[in-house]
């Protein structure tokens, strides 16, 4: 209830006069002036508290300041000192003194229709909030990125024996930081990240067992240990049946045959020792005739490895049988070219060959997915592959433009081309892990698809967080998902697809982090890892920075500044402090 000002003044005068009369009539005349002044100050404070006065300030009607998480008070003060007339200050999802909080930007625009320019301080806004402010001119005043991982990439699924290589960008604005990769209960790799923004890092680890794992990127930030989850699925190697066709015995065939056989793969080798006379061998397979390629024979294999010279010696029926097996059965083929035989071949090598050097083969590093180091040194040809539409690189030289091995789909199968005819030198040098990793990469990419209907998969959007909708499809409705063995931990909404009557679209809303799979008895869904809501916060902040800067560059020039008077109540805590001080003085003064 508001007390009328005349009544407040009348009562204050009467109270002040009465306190003055009491002070004057006291026998002790010491500190008389101080008693009278303290009495009137106390009365004035009490009157102002009962009826607080308002101060009229002039603010900008067309400009405002929005404080977001991570804003700097120094930046805010500098902006307030520079802008005239002074803009109003608002805040969104952050605590700020003397800032009006905003919970809904649609309501904010309705309440402040004159605002045309919004100065955004801090780390910016999410995409949906920025969309709500699309009609305003946004001026960013962003805070520096805090220390942390800005981006990271790693293979989400590997075969046992392959390394997990985690690469990314780390920012540490204040000091160097030691970054660790924790796996299997301990720190497996580490490196020092220098001070500054945009510092590259690379850490690696080779798992010893298969399964679903969550490794950790760790670093120390003050007294806190920061972590980011690195989920990886480690699968048992798929055992393949490989047919190797060679125009002559070679070390390449010998080493690869032995390496594949030791890993449990089925291997059949046919080497031509003279015209139409072959030396054959089968390991981990039932014995069968390899003298002639027939549809029945090719049906038993997942991958065929051959040389360009071997291909040229095939009959028309054998080439047709190979093409039919690729298109209709999903057979994979890899054709290897020697230094001087690099030229296109219909169906089997429909890639472009670009000469980069006329010198003899030279030794240089070869790279592939999961191996970015320079340890795999092989004899390289003087040509590289120019990919045609639909082809993908499998191995390359110094950079991705120097493709050495590539593959592309033909019907149900994959057809590959290789300019690396000699890889056994890796095994000779004792680099068995690299040798196995290279051929595992190549064979798994080319191999015939496994039998059965492919399981529906979540899209490869990383990272998925708690509370965010995850979209996927399957052949039957999926009513729930679970993490490991506990019951369902999320909501699934299934609807029939308009494009296919036998397909269902799903929205999954996880409410806990972890590996999510489908329950037993339902359609098998490839596991998906859900990160916590606070995971990869630095990556999210960087994304918000980029979005705000991109939108700010597209906005128009500012509109003319409009001023608006606003009445504000004065701060009351100084009045309370003064009142308590004066009353305390009067009480103590009377005692002494």
């Amino acid at each position: 209830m508001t007390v009328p000002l005349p009544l407040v003044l009348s009562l204050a005068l009467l109270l002040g006069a009465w306190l003055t009369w009491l002070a004057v009539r006291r026998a002790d005349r010491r500190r008389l002036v101080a008693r009278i002044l303290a009495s009137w100050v106390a009365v004035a404070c009490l009157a102002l508290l009962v009826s607080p006065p308002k101060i009229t300030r002039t603010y900008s009607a067309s400009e405002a300041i929005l404080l977001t998480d991570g804003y700097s008070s120094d930046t805010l003060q500098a902006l307030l000192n520079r802008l005239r007339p002074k803009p109003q200050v608002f805040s969104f999802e952050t605590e700020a003194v003397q800032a009006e909080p905003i919970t809904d930007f649609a309501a904010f625009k309705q309440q402040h229709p004159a605002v045309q320019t919004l100065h955004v301080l801090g780390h910016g806004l999410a995409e949906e909030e920025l969309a709500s402010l699309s009609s305003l001119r946004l001026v960013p005043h962003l805070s520096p990125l805090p220390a942390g991982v800005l981006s990271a990439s790693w293979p989400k699924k590997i075969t046992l024996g392959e390394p997990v290589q985690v690469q990314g960008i780390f920012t540490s604005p204040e000091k160097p930081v030691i970054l660790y990769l924790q796996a299997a209960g301990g720190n497996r790799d580490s490196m020092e990240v220098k001070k500054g923004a945009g510092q590259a890092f690379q850490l690696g680890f080779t798992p010893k067992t298969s399964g679903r794992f969550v490794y950790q990127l760790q670093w120390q930030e003050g007294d806190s240990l920061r972590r980011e989850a690195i989920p990886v699925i480690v699968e048992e190697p798929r055992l393949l049946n490989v047919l190797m066709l060679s125009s002559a015995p070679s070390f390449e065939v010998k080493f690869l045959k032995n390496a594949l056989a030791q890993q449990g793969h089925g291997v059949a080798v046919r080497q031509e020792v003279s015209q139409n006379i072959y030396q054959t061998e089968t390991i981990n397979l039932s014995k069968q005739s390899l003298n002639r390629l027939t549809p029945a024979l090719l049906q038993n294999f997942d991958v065929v490895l051959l040389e360009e010279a071997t291909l040229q010696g095939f009959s028309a029926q054998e080439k047709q049988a190979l093409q039919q097996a690729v298109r209709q059965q999903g057979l994979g083929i890899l054709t290897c070219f020697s230094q001087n035989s690099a030229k296109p071949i219909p169906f089997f090598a429909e890639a472009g060959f670009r000469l980069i050097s006329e010198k003899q083969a030279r030794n240089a590093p070869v790279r592939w997915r999961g191996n970015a180091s320079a340890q795999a040194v092989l004899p390289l040809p003087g040509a590289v592959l120019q990919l045609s539409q639909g082809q993908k690189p499998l191995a390359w030289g110094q950079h991705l433009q120097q493709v050495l091995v590539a593959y592309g789909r033909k019907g149900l199968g994959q057809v590959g081309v290789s300019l690396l005819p000699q890889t056994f030198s890796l095994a000779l040098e004792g680099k068995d892990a690299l040798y196995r990793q290279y051929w595992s990469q190549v064979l798994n990419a080319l191999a015939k698809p496994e039998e059965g209907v492919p399981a529906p998969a979540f899209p490869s959007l990383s990272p998925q967080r708690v509370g965010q909708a995850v979209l996927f499809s399957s052949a039957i409705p999926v009513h729930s998902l679970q993490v490991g063995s506990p019951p369902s931990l999320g909501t699934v909404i299934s609807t029939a697809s308009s494009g296919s009557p036998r397909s269902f679209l799903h929205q999954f809303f996880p409410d806990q982090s972890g590996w999510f799979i489908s329950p037993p008895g339902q359609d098998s869904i490839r596991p998906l890892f859900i990160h916590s809501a606070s995971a990869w916060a630095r990556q999210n902040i960087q994304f918000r920075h980029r979005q705000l800067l991109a939108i700010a560059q597209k906005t128009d020039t500012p509109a003319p500044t409009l001023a608006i008077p606003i009445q504000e109540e004065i701060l009351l805590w100084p009045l309370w402090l003064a009142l308590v001080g004066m009353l305390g003085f009067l009480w103590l003064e009377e005692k002494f």
Side-chain angles (χ1 to χ4, degrees):
M1 183 181 71
T2 304
V3 182
L5 182 59
L7 178 60
V8 172
L9 293 177
S10 300
L11 293 176
L13 290 174
L14 290 175
L15 180 59
W18 180 64
L19 292 175
T20 302
W21 178 73
L22 290 178
V24 171
R25 66 187 297 268
R26 281 182 58 185
D28 187 358
R29 310 294 292 180
R30 295 177 302 167
R31 298 181 292 275
L32 175 62
V33 176
R35 290 200 303 271
I36 295 175
L37 288 176
S39 300
W40 279 101
V41 170
V43 169
C45 291
L46 185 60
L48 292 174
L49 288 172
V50 173
S51 181
K54 294 184 178 181
I55 300 175
T56 301
R57 300 182 186 274
T58 302
Y59 288 95
S60 173
S62 56
E63 281 189 299
I65 295 176
L66 178 64
L67 306 180
T68 64
D69 180 48
Y71 79 93
S72 168
S73 56
D74 293 338
T75 303
L76 172 60
Q77 190 59 49
L79 198 58
L80 290 174
N81 294 338
R82 178 170 61 86
L83 297 178
R84 290 291 181 271
K86 185 180 296 186
Q88 290 181 272
V89 181
F90 302 89
S91 64
F92 179 74
E93 293 184 349
T94 186
E95 295 183 1
V97 180
Q98 292 184 328
E100 181 180 342
I102 297 176
T103 56
D104 184 4
F105 283 108
F108 165 77
K109 292 170 66 176
Q110 290 180 353
Q111 296 169 4
H112 305 275
V115 174
Q116 299 296 319
T117 300
L118 194 62
H119 296 267
V120 182
L121 279 67
H123 293 314
L125 301 166
E127 188 174 4
E128 54 270 20
E129 279 93 29
L130 287 176
S132 303
L133 299 174
S134 58
S135 61
L136 302 183
R137 175 176 174 262
L138 302 180
V139 181
H141 304 270
L142 298 173
S143 299
L145 290 168
V149 181
L150 298 183
S151 64
S153 61
W154 64 92
K156 307 303 184 289
K157 182 172 64 174
I158 63 170
T159 302
L160 186 62
E162 296 179 352
V164 177
Q165 296 286 347
V166 184
Q167 306 175 45
I169 302 297
F170 193 93
T171 183
S172 181
E174 296 182 356
K175 60 180 181 179
V177 171
I178 303 296
L179 191 61
Y180 298 91
L181 176 61
Q182 188 186 60
N187 294 327
R188 302 302 172 183
D189 198 3
S190 65
M191 69 169 291
E192 183 181 62
V193 180
K194 297 180 180 179
K195 174 183 176 181
Q199 302 295 317
F201 69 87
Q202 177 175 323
L203 301 171
F205 167 68
T206 302
K208 303 300 182 184
T209 57
S210 59
R212 294 189 298 270
F213 301 100
V214 182
Y215 306 136
Q216 302 281 346
L217 277 179
Q218 295 185 350
W219 70 96
Q220 194 76 27
E221 186 177 313
D223 296 332
S224 302
L225 184 63
R226 302 295 183 183
R227 295 184 178 93
E228 296 291 3
I230 306 293
V232 177
I233 299 175
V234 183
E235 295 182 333
E236 289 288 342
R238 178 188 170 190
L239 297 181
L240 304 174
N241 292 336
V242 181
L243 175 59
M244 304 176 65
L245 304 174
S246 174
S247 59
S250 66
F251 286 109
E252 181 72 4
V253 173
K254 177 183 178 181
F255 275 85
L256 182 56
K257 172 196 68 175
N258 293 336
L260 295 178
Q262 289 175 3
Q263 297 174 51
H265 297 289
V267 183
V269 180
R270 191 185 83 177
Q271 301 178 99
E272 189 172 10
V273 293
S274 62
Q275 188 172 4
N276 296 328
I277 299 178
Y278 303 104
Q279 176 184 331
T280 63
E281 183 182 4
T282 57
I283 308 174
N284 299 331
L285 287 174
S286 59
K287 193 171 183 180
Q288 50 195 315
S289 175
L290 305 177
N291 290 334
R292 184 173 179 80
L293 300 183
T294 63
L297 173 66
L298 295 175
Q299 193 172 5
N300 300 324
F301 295 94
D302 299 301
V303 182
V304 174
L305 305 179
L306 51 86
E307 302 166 351
E308 182 270 343
T310 308
L311 181 62
Q312 297 295 348
F314 287 161
S315 64
Q317 290 80 7
E318 289 179 313
K319 289 182 180 179
Q320 184 178 359
L322 279 171
Q323 294 183 31
Q324 183 178 355
V326 172
R327 293 187 186 276
Q328 299 180 7
Q329 300 173 17
L331 179 69
I333 293 180
L334 179 67
T335 304
C336 294
F337 287 80
S338 63
Q339 172 70 12
N340 301 319
S341 62
K343 58 182 179 181
I345 301 176
F347 186 86
F348 296 96
E350 294 180 347
F353 295 84
R354 178 169 59 90
L355 189 67
I356 60 173
S357 174
E358 296 183 355
K359 299 179 180 180
Q360 294 296 321
R362 68 195 190 284
N363 292 335
V366 175
R367 297 170 174 85
W368 55 87
R369 184 179 66 85
N371 174 46
S373 68
Q375 298 179 2
V377 178
L378 293 172
L380 299 190
V384 295
L385 295 171
Q386 290 183 310
L387 303 183
S388 59
Q389 186 174 6
Q391 287 185 319
K392 302 176 183 178
L394 270 175
W396 51 91
Q398 186 175 0
H399 47 75
L400 269 172
Q401 284 68 40
Q402 296 181 351
V403 180
L404 300 171
V405 184
Y407 72 109
R409 181 173 294 279
K410 293 285 186 181
L412 296 178
Q414 305 283 353
V415 176
V417 182
S418 173
L419 298 181
L420 298 174
Q422 295 182 4
T423 61
F424 69 91
S425 59
L426 291 177
L428 280 178
E429 296 170 3
K431 300 177 180 178
D432 295 322
L434 284 174
Y435 184 65
R436 291 194 301 267
Q437 182 188 353
Y438 168 77
W439 279 108
S440 174
Q441 177 86 1
V442 172
L443 294 177
N444 287 325
L446 298 175
K448 182 186 298 183
E450 295 185 77
E451 295 182 0
V453 179
F458 293 100
S460 56
L461 300 176
S462 179
Q464 294 286 354
R465 296 185 178 89
V466 169
Q468 293 181 341
V470 181
L471 304 178
F472 64 99
S473 62
S474 68
I476 66 173
V478 177
H479 302 295
S480 65
L481 297 180
Q482 67 182 32
V483 52
S485 57
S488 174
L489 295 175
T491 304
V492 180
I493 302 176
S494 301
T495 57
S497 173
S498 58
S500 174
R502 295 186 178 181
S503 177
F504 291 85
L505 301 178
H506 312 284
Q507 280 187 307
F508 173 47
F509 297 89
D511 51 25
Q512 292 195 29
S513 61
W515 284 106
F516 280 74
I517 58 176
S518 58
Q522 291 198 0
D523 207 5
S524 177
I525 295 179
R526 294 176 187 145
L528 171 74
F529 185 81
I530 300 296
H531 294 261
S532 66
S534 60
W536 302 101
R538 306 304 186 265
Q539 185 179 14
N540 186 41
I541 289 174
Q542 184 186 44
F543 179 72
R544 288 159 59 179
H545 280 203
R546 291 175 176 174
Q547 276 198 314
L548 181 57
L549 291 172
I551 292 176
Q553 292 177 353
K554 299 177 182 179
T555 53
D556 300 328
T557 55
T561 303
L562 302 176
I564 179 174
I566 297 179
Q567 287 189 335
E568 297 180 349
E569 293 184 353
I570 64 173
L571 296 177
L572 298 182
W573 66 266
L575 298 178
W576 282 109
L577 188 62
L579 177 61
V580 172
M582 294 302 101
L583 293 178
F585 169 77
L586 292 174
W587 181 77
L588 290 174
E589 188 272 338
E590 187 176 359
K591 297 296 182 182
F592 297 99

